[in-house]
Amino acid sequence: MAATATLPSTARRKPVRWGNPVTYVLALAVAAVSIAPVIYVILGGFRTTGQIAADPAGLPRPWVWSTYGSVVGQTVFWRDLLNSTLIAGGTTVGVLVLGVCAAFVLARYKFRGREGMYTYFTLGLLFPAAAGILPLYLLLSDIHLTDGYLAYLGVIIPQVAFQLPITIVILRPFFAAFPMELEDAASIDGTDRLGFFWRILLPLSRPAIVTIAVLAFVASWNAFLLPLLVLQNDSLQTVPLGVLNFSTEHSQDTAGILAFTSLSMMPALLFFSFAERQIVGGLQGAVKG
Amino acid sequence: MTATQPSVSLADRAPARPAGPRPRVPGRAARTRRKWYEIIGLTGPALLVFTLFVLVPIGFAVYYSLYRWHGYGWPTEFVGLDNYFGPLGAFRDPIFRDGLRNNFIVLVGSLAVQGPLALGIALLLNRRFRGRAVFRLLVFVPYVLAEVTVGIMWQLILQPDSAADSFLRSIGLGGLVTGWLANLNVVLWTMLFVLTWKYTGFALILFLAGLANIPDELTEAAAIDGASWWQIQRHVTIPLLGPTIRIWMFLSMIGSLQLFDIPWVTSQASVRSLGASNTMATYMVEEGFNQRLWSYGNTVAVILFVISFVAALLFQRFVLRRDVDGALTRRAN
């Protein structure tokens, strides 16, 4: 380990080389611990409940495809997926529209009370949104956002609100970093500040906007507490609620729970393997404040 | 509504100079007015939504917690701070106190276990190696899975005579086997284990990203000066990673205080109700929503809010101040 540290500085080479064995042993161990339980769940779905009971940690023998088949054949599974997609999509759109507009003003307008307004939004980072969840539920039911399909909005709108502070904290410095000369040039060319916002700033800010969109989508996709309270009607339930309900309703059917759980993980895993860069970038953005 | 109020009053004040009846200059005044329309139009919706759905509920939680109230009509029976300090108040309620204690154990346990673990791994892996991208992806898996999914997954693995028990027996540690999620003395530590599994990857990814920002020249210079690997880590790398570590601590702290999903899913309600694995948040939902004890649930919520808020402010004020221009610690300019 010390060997690499004492290499002379000429050792900075672009082609990535193989690391030393210690690095790999450690990396493999950490990666194995991280995914072993997930692999167990996925493989478990290929076994029968009898097989699992006889040898809990064994491999599928023989491989059974029918459990996965029956989950995929259930409308409940697809309905949950659709609900989650609608709610996470709606939340993302809402966060984008409200967050980008507010961050733009906070970054590029000079006015009295600007820093106060920014501080006001950042208050949301200092306490868990869960603390207000009971009155929030009452408020939502008073304005009928827990009734029928309106319950979608009853989840989406508060989730947009929860996500606004971090969105503004990430976007504002990004928007503020564009040089004033760019805005002046745009105004000389005859476009006003909104035109500058729409035609120049937004297209140039795509990386930051993609990051906040991904963060909002992830937060909504995984959310549990608010949907638990608001989506009392099972036909509106999101994936986390669906998995929980399935596991309590079919508590004897271990293989079925494993199959249902692992299928419900798939969209998230696929999405995240594509968006990993944005998520990490976003977290770093949050770190830099 | 109330949220836009300050902006409106500021709007009146801002163009104060052309107060006299000047000849109409279409430029300045109109531009100023237009600017304020834009400011209000663009921030108004965000301010409104944020105020109404994040801050107003907190205010109502405080209000409801001062009454004895069951959720119907307007609260009338004012009881002051009885829900907090009265003979039946939260601070005399052993189950609530268990929840509070559990939150603090989780908080301290998360900081003490995940941080050093992730830091150690990050330092050892802080170099480019082939397959690093794949490694990062795999380590990220526990973090991106929904808490509920993780909870159900571990619940299945930790059931009596399931995978965990059979794994322990196969490596000769069968004597350790216990009711991981049912033994009241063990369940909290089981939960801490699950949390460590879920969130260490998050800390690791943050630390690796932070390490990538430390210029190689610094560690190389130290190496030329004859510093050992450990001395370099101790005196160069870890101090430079300080801001990242402190932000992680902040996020971990707030996360631990609001812990809800994993205890809710992995523990039976009966285990939670005995105080073995409940948290402030699970107790709030259990009492306030499931039992419909609205004012008591809100009391728990307010305590959760105050503890988080005070802890976050103190942390921002004393620990993070050097690192980020924290919005709440910086003087408005």
Side-chain angles (χ1 to χ4, degrees), chain B residues 167-213:
Chain B
F167 173 73
L168 284 175
R169 289 196 183 102
S170 73
I171 58 171
L173 293 172
L176 290 178
V177 167
T178 175
W180 299 111
L181 298 170
N183 184 333
L184 299 184
N185 297 318
V186 170
V187 58
L188 185 65
W189 307 103
T190 308
M191 203 164 78
L192 203 55
F193 169 81
V194 173
L195 291 170
T196 307
W197 179 81
K198 177 139 175 49
Y199 292 113
T200 302
F202 169 68
L204 180 57
I205 298 275
L206 275 187
F207 293 169
L208 284 175
L211 286 173
N213 289 334

Side-chain angles (χ1 to χ4, degrees), chain B residues 96-113:
Chain B
F96 171 76
R97 281 162 42 165
D98 283 342
L100 193 60
R101 182 206 58 197
N102 293 342
N103 270 119
F104 276 100
I105 291 176
V106 166
L107 193 157
V108 173
S110 298
L111 291 179
V113 177

Side-chain angles (χ1 to χ4, degrees), chain A:
Chain A
M1 281 174 287
T4 38
T6 52
L7 280 174
S9 58
T10 48
R12 199 183 317 125
R13 61 270 137 191
K14 270 289 148 229
V16 178
R17 24 156 253 175
W18 293 92
N20 67 24
V22 179
T23 309
Y24 278 100
V25 170
L26 181 74
L28 269 178
V30 174
V33 172
S34 300
I35 59 162
V38 180
I39 304 271
Y40 170 78
V41 170
I42 294 172
L43 286 181
F46 287 110
R47 311 171 73 204
T48 62
T49 302
Q51 281 182 32
I52 297 169
D55 178 12
L59 289 171
R61 192 182 310 128
W63 290 67
V64 180
W65 293 82
S66 58
T67 322
Y68 276 107
S70 77
V71 172
V72 173
Q74 284 182 22
T75 48
V76 174
F77 176 73
W78 296 104
R79 187 196 64 196
D80 296 353
L81 221 51
L82 179 69
N83 288 334
S84 270
T85 310
L86 283 175
I87 288 176
T91 302
T92 308
V93 171
V95 168
L96 281 179
V97 173
L98 297 191
V100 165
C101 289
F104 171 67
V105 168
L106 289 169
R108 307 218 55 107
Y109 284 65
K110 282 203 174 64
F111 60 97
R112 287 192 60 181
R114 184 180 70 169
E115 295 310 309
M117 193 192 281
Y118 180 64
T119 303
Y120 182 74
F121 278 118
T122 59
L123 281 179
L125 295 176
L126 298 183
F127 60 89
I133 204 83
L134 297 176
L136 177 62
Y137 170 78
L138 289 177
L139 172 71
L140 292 169
S141 70
D142 280 348
I143 57 178
H144 299 290
L145 286 184
T146 53
D147 305 348
Y149 287 105
L150 284 176
Y152 283 130
L153 286 179
V155 178
I156 290 173
I157 298 174
Q159 280 184 349
V160 170
F162 297 164
Q163 205 63 24
L164 278 174
I166 188 70
T167 301
I168 289 171
V169 165
I170 291 177
L171 281 184
R172 182 172 123 129
F174 197 91
F175 287 166
F178 289 97
M180 202 56 208
E181 287 78 10
L182 199 63
E183 199 173 324
D184 293 341
S187 105
I188 290 168
D189 287 345
T191 179
D192 59 3
R193 200 156 11 186
L194 290 182
F196 165 74
F197 171 55
W198 188 249
R199 297 210 193 93
I200 297 166
L201 196 97
L202 277 188
L204 288 176
S205 304
R206 242 188 59 185
I209 290 172
V210 170
T211 295
I212 59 146
V214 168
L215 288 179
F217 195 90
V218 172
S220 171
W221 188 272
N222 288 346
F224 178 54
L225 179 51
L226 183 67
L228 178 72
L229 301 198
V230 175
L231 302 175
Q232 293 287 319
N233 182 343
D234 280 357
S235 66
L236 302 182
Q237 72 190 0
T238 54
V239 172
L241 294 177
V243 177
L244 185 60
N245 284 346
F246 189 93
S247 78
T248 44
E249 282 160 19
H250 302 76
S251 57
Q252 299 306 310
D253 179 11
T254 311
I257 301 174
L258 289 167
F260 196 98
T261 307
S262 58
L263 278 176
S264 78
M265 299 190 295
M266 288 308 141
L269 289 180
L270 284 178
F271 179 73
F272 299 128
S273 60
F274 290 117
E276 185 237 351
R277 209 165 284 276
Q278 273 76 35
I279 301 175
V280 176
L283 296 171
Q284 274 184 286
V287 170
K288 284 178 195 140

